[in-house]
Amino acid sequence: MTCCWSGWQRSKLGSDLFAIFCRNSVLAIPQLLNRRSFASLQTSKRQTRKRMIDAFYIFTKGGLLLWSTQLVKVKGNPIDRLIKEVLLEERVGETFATLDSYNLKWKLLNEMDLFFVVVYQGILQMAYLEGLLSMAAKEFNHHIANFGSGLTIKHVDFDQDFLRCRQKADKELKESRRPGGMRSFADTKKGADVQKNREEKGLPAPAKKGKSGGADGDKDEDDEEDDAAKVAEARAKLTKAKGKKDGNSKEKDAEASKPKKGKEARHWDGGKVSKSLMQELDFSKNKPDEADLAAKQAEFLGSGDDEDFDAEVESLSSGSEAEEEKKDDGRVGGLFKSLTRGVKNITGGAVLTEEDLEPILKKFKTELMTRNVAAEVADKLSESVRRSLVGKTTGRFTSMASTVKQALKESMETLLTPKKSIDVLRAALAAKNAGRVYTIVFLGVNGVGKSTNLAKVAYYLKHKGGLDVLICACDTFRAGAVEQLKTHSRCLDVPLFERGYGKDPAEIAKNAIAHAKSNGHDVVLVDTAGRMQDNEPLMRALAKLVAINSPDLVLFVGEALVGNDAIDQVTKFNRSLVDLSADPRNPRGIDGMLLTKYDTVDDKVGAALSMVYVTGQPVVFVGTGQKYTHLRKMQAKEVVKTLLG
């Protein structure tokens, strides 16, 4: 009995212990798993911290890759896109770009003509990236000091040096994240500059206000008395002004009670167009007689000399290069003379520093903005020139002024030279030989001269290329728009396709292209209604017209008079066409630009520079007058020469 009891007792004790063990294990296993997952998370965080960047590249201006490392496999070709779309487009001053879902930050080392590029994803502090690039550039420059210039260097071993740069940059980033005491305004850079300016002007340092007692306390009491006096004076003025207002309010009420003649209602697009409204807007019932037509032809055609038109349409040049060089020989004239007046005239072996370039580039940026270059473009252009010149050594018998001038000239010519060239006449002739109709759509804001310059292009294609042109009136919004095109068509002896007012412009353009195919026309020029860039319904209708008809060329017509507004106009027009495109995978934007009123701006031709810089598309034509022959092609060198004086 004892034995059985003891055995039963032992078995019960064992089961209790087993249960306790299982219960503790169930509690312990999640804790163990949590510890392991936490440890793995910490390890992954440390690994991620170690590879905060994805790749690093060092290459020359000529495109020779000297050294590279990829901490993570980089998908696509972001470096190729950086070279083609940024560096070759003279946008070095931006130093940051997002390409192929990667962020790229770069530094140009002018002494060796080298680019240092860091590739990463996500968000990193700019101070960390700039520090890493600066340390890598310094170490690499020291590493290859015995190799010579950047164009003669071959692949080098930079792995260990770059690892030390990364470790140092990570350490500085970690230290910068530690909390520290708040600095006073005097300790900041701006505070130091303010204090320096006060000392230069001989002004005393600002007195600190005392919290209690002493002279500071007396000053505070005096300030309070002055404030009270100012408040009382302001109240008195307010009471006096209120009395005058009450006296004048009776006269205003009497004037307001008089009945006013209301403004006549105007019918705009969007509703049903009645027959009476159509008749009201139609001003072409009485056709002009032969005398009126002859007067209009004399106004737009002038003498009708095609030789003058051929000379004008080729380029903007008004004289030979030799004459211009002879004119400017021995001096730096115009804008550049004023820009380089304060630069040291050191000949040969001078190293350009930021202190030398700062005053001239500041003046250069200001003068560019006075010539209608948008402020944003002027900033980026001057920054690009500064980065490309800092650290450069002037050649023998070459002054700083000539070095800076050459850099400015090359940068602006590179900007104005677009990615592709558009020859409208050649493209139209090629389409004719292929048996299809060449279509051009003209778009832009109100009042820039779309219809007049469309007529100039029609005259150019008809007389220079012998093409059969059809004008399509798709401005069904503005009263008199169709009649204006009828006048141009009679003067040019070119047929007009129109369906009146209040119709869908996209359908009219579609029917016009079909009509041109069936009747043997070579080119269709589509005129659209002017609209502001912020009017979304009208921009959507314009995108619909472009999407349905797929024109060969979309020309943005803008004024050469505008400055900062040029960027806003062309950017929003292009963005609207892309965003509202029928095929998001293959969006259609602006293909080129036509600048009007170019003859009225003298040397203020900066709008061309701004538009080309923003869109990357060329200026196809510029309008230089009211006659049909006043149409020219723009040359980048001519614009640069005009801007630089």
Side-chain angles (χ1 to χ4, degrees):
M1 184 71 181
T2 306
C3 239
C4 291
W5 169 256
S6 62
W8 175 82
Q9 195 174 20
R10 282 196 301 270
S11 63
K12 184 176 183 301
L13 179 61
S15 62
D16 293 341
L17 291 174
F18 180 74
I20 294 172
F21 172 75
C22 291
R23 185 166 61 250
N24 291 337
S25 298
V26 171
L27 295 174
I29 288 173
Q31 295 178 1
L32 181 61
L33 291 175
N34 289 336
R35 288 174 184 170
R36 288 180 178 176
S37 60
F38 178 75
S40 63
L41 181 61
Q42 291 296 107
T43 304
S44 64
K45 282 185 177 180
R46 284 195 295 269
Q47 292 176 352
T48 304
R49 192 179 295 115
K50 287 182 180 178
R51 58 167 184 83
M52 298 176 70
I53 63 175
D54 291 357
F56 199 95
Y57 298 88
I58 304 175
F59 54 89
T60 66
K61 277 188 175 181
L64 177 63
L65 181 64
L66 302 180
W67 180 86
S68 66
T69 180
Q70 288 191 9
L71 305 180
V72 181
K73 179 66 175 178
V74 177
K75 299 178 181 179
N77 297 306
I79 293 297
D80 292 345
R81 289 192 58 192
L82 173 68
I83 294 173
K84 293 177 182 178
E85 300 178 13
V86 179
L87 302 184
L88 292 180
E89 292 294 325
E90 202 63 32
R91 301 172 191 266
V92 184
E94 298 178 8
T95 72
F96 177 82
T98 301
L99 304 168
D100 290 341
S101 72
Y102 289 98
N103 298 321
L104 291 88
K105 176 79 175 173
W106 63 89
K107 177 181 177 65
L108 172 61
L109 189 63
N110 289 303
E111 296 89 338
M112 307 295 291
D113 288 335
L114 299 177
F115 281 99
F116 297 80
V117 183
V118 57
V119 182
Y120 66 97
Q121 290 178 305
I123 300 174
L124 289 179
Q125 291 185 6
M126 283 295 172
Y128 169 78
L129 296 173
E130 291 174 355
L132 178 61
L133 288 169
S134 299
M135 285 186 285
K138 184 177 180 181
E139 287 292 332
F140 193 81
N141 192 16
H142 178 71
H143 187 83
I144 62 172
N146 300 324
F147 283 83
S149 65
L151 296 177
T152 61
I153 302 171
K154 295 185 178 181
H155 190 84
V156 294
D157 185 10
F158 190 60
D159 295 345
Q160 296 300 323
D161 294 336
F162 182 69
L163 180 60
R164 287 195 297 270
C165 292
R166 281 181 52 211
Q167 292 173 348
K168 186 176 180 181
D170 293 343
K171 183 179 178 181
E172 291 180 356
L173 177 63
K174 187 177 180 181
E175 291 177 353
S176 65
R177 289 176 174 174
R178 293 177 180 174
M182 182 178 293
R183 295 184 301 170
S184 63
F185 177 72
D187 296 333
T188 62
K189 183 179 179 181
K190 187 174 182 180
D193 294 339
V194 171
Q195 182 62 26
K196 184 178 178 181
N197 293 334
R198 293 182 67 89
E199 292 176 356
E200 291 176 355
K201 295 179 181 179
L203 300 175
K208 298 182 179 179
K209 293 185 178 182
K211 292 184 179 180
S212 61
D216 292 337
D218 296 338
K219 290 181 180 179
D220 290 343
E221 292 178 0
D222 295 338
D223 291 340
E224 291 178 359
E225 293 178 358
D226 294 339
D227 292 342
K230 291 179 180 179
V231 169
E233 184 179 355
R235 285 178 177 174
K237 290 181 179 179
L238 183 62
T239 305
K240 186 176 180 181
K242 186 176 180 181
K244 290 183 178 180
K245 184 177 180 181
D246 293 339
N248 295 332
S249 61
K250 296 180 180 179
E251 298 177 1
K252 292 182 178 179
D253 292 340
E255 293 178 359
S257 61
K258 296 180 181 179
K260 293 184 178 180
K261 185 179 179 181
K263 185 178 179 180
E264 295 182 0
R266 176 67 186 270
H267 299 279
W268 299 101
D269 192 14
K272 186 177 181 180
V273 180
S274 62
K275 185 176 180 180
S276 60
L277 181 60
M278 288 284 292
Q279 294 176 352
E280 181 182 339
L281 293 174
D282 188 6
F283 300 97
S284 59
K285 293 179 181 178
N286 299 321
K287 294 184 179 180
D289 53 12
E290 295 297 331
D292 293 337
L293 181 59
K296 287 294 182 183
Q297 287 178 340
E299 177 184 352
F300 290 114
L301 289 173
S303 62
D305 191 355
D306 289 343
E307 293 182 0
D308 295 340
F309 172 66
D310 294 340
E312 286 184 349
V313 81
E314 287 303 324
S315 71
L316 285 170
S317 180
S318 57
S320 65
E321 294 289 336
E323 291 177 356
E324 294 293 336
E325 291 178 0
K326 184 177 179 181
K327 180 180 177 181
D328 293 337
D329 186 26
R331 68 179 182 87
V332 181
L335 162 64
F336 196 76
K337 183 177 180 180
S338 63
L339 293 178
T340 56
R341 192 174 292 132
V343 178
K344 300 176 183 178
N345 191 17
I346 302 176
T347 56
V351 179
L352 295 172
T353 62
E354 293 193 6
E355 289 76 13
D356 295 324
L357 296 174
E358 184 178 359
I360 184 174
L361 290 179
K362 184 178 179 181
K363 182 69 175 176
F364 166 68
K365 183 173 64 175
T366 304
E367 293 293 341
L368 275 184
M369 288 189 288
T370 62
R371 283 160 170 77
N372 283 346
V373 177
E376 178 184 353
V377 176
D379 287 335
K380 291 181 178 179
L381 181 59
S382 60
E383 181 65 16
S384 176
V385 172
R386 184 187 70 81
R387 290 183 180 274
S388 62
L389 286 180
V390 170
K392 281 280 188 181
T393 302
T394 59
R396 298 183 62 182
F397 305 106
T398 304
S399 64
M400 285 187 181
S402 59
T403 303
V404 175
K405 178 181 180 181
Q406 186 63 27
L408 295 176
K409 182 179 179 182
E410 291 176 358
S411 297
M412 295 174 69
E413 286 182 0
T414 304
L415 281 176
L416 286 171
T417 303
K419 302 173 186 177
K420 60 180 180 180
S421 179
I422 298 178
D423 192 333
V424 177
L425 182 59
R426 181 180 298 178
L429 290 173
K432 178 182 179 181
N433 295 332
R436 62 183 185 85
V437 178
Y438 190 80
T439 309
I440 305 176
V441 172
F442 294 78
L443 51 89
V445 298
N446 309 78
V448 294
K450 290 185 296 299
S451 301
T452 303
N453 285 274
L454 179 146
K456 294 179 185 179
V457 175
Y459 183 86
Y460 167 65
L461 294 175
K462 179 181 178 181
H463 289 263
K464 193 75 182 291
L467 297 170
D468 189 354
V469 181
L470 174 67
I471 298 176
C472 176
C474 288
D475 186 355
T476 63
F477 181 76
R478 176 172 62 91
V482 177
E483 287 70 33
Q484 182 182 8
L485 287 180
K486 283 182 180 179
T487 301
H488 286 305
S489 69
R490 286 193 292 267
C491 292
L492 294 168
D493 193 19
V494 169
L496 173 68
F497 186 91
E498 55 93 8
R499 289 293 181 266
Y501 296 91
K503 306 294 178 58
D504 185 8
E507 289 297 325
I508 296 177
K510 183 178 179 180
N511 296 332
I513 296 173
H515 175 79
K517 290 180 181 178
S518 60
N519 289 273
H521 297 290
D522 301 322
V523 180
V524 176
L525 304 181
V526 181
D527 183 34
T528 61
R531 63 205 74 203
M532 296 308 295
Q533 61 268 24
D534 296 317
N535 194 326
E536 184 178 351
L538 294 182
M539 294 304 298
R540 191 177 296 276
L542 185 62
K544 176 186 174 183
L545 185 149
V546 174
I548 289 178
N549 297 284
S550 299
D552 296 279
L553 186 64
V554 178
L555 279 184
F556 175 82
V557 184
E559 285 183 333
L561 300 169
V562 296
N564 285 314
D565 199 35
I567 285 186
D568 188 57
Q569 289 177 8
V570 72
T571 301
K572 289 185 177 179
F573 264 86
N574 190 65
R575 187 188 306 160
S576 298
L577 292 180
V578 171
D579 294 344
L580 303 175
S581 179
D583 186 6
R585 294 173 297 180
N586 188 23
R588 182 67 183 273
I590 294 172
D591 299 319
M593 288 159 289
L594 193 156
L595 285 181
T596 65
K597 308 173 185 177
Y598 202 81
D599 55 317
T600 64
V601 294
D602 295 329
D603 61 344
K604 296 178 175 59
V605 295
L609 186 68
S610 302
M611 291 183 178
V612 173
Y613 185 89
V614 171
T615 62
Q617 305 299 338
V619 175
V620 182
F621 293 114
V622 291
T624 58
Q626 288 294 321
K627 292 182 171 56
Y628 294 144
T629 57
H630 294 164
L631 186 72
R632 300 183 182 182
K633 294 180 181 178
M634 193 194 75
Q635 301 294 335
K637 292 183 179 180
E638 304 297 336
V639 178
V640 172
K641 189 181 297 183
T642 305
L643 285 173
L644 291 180

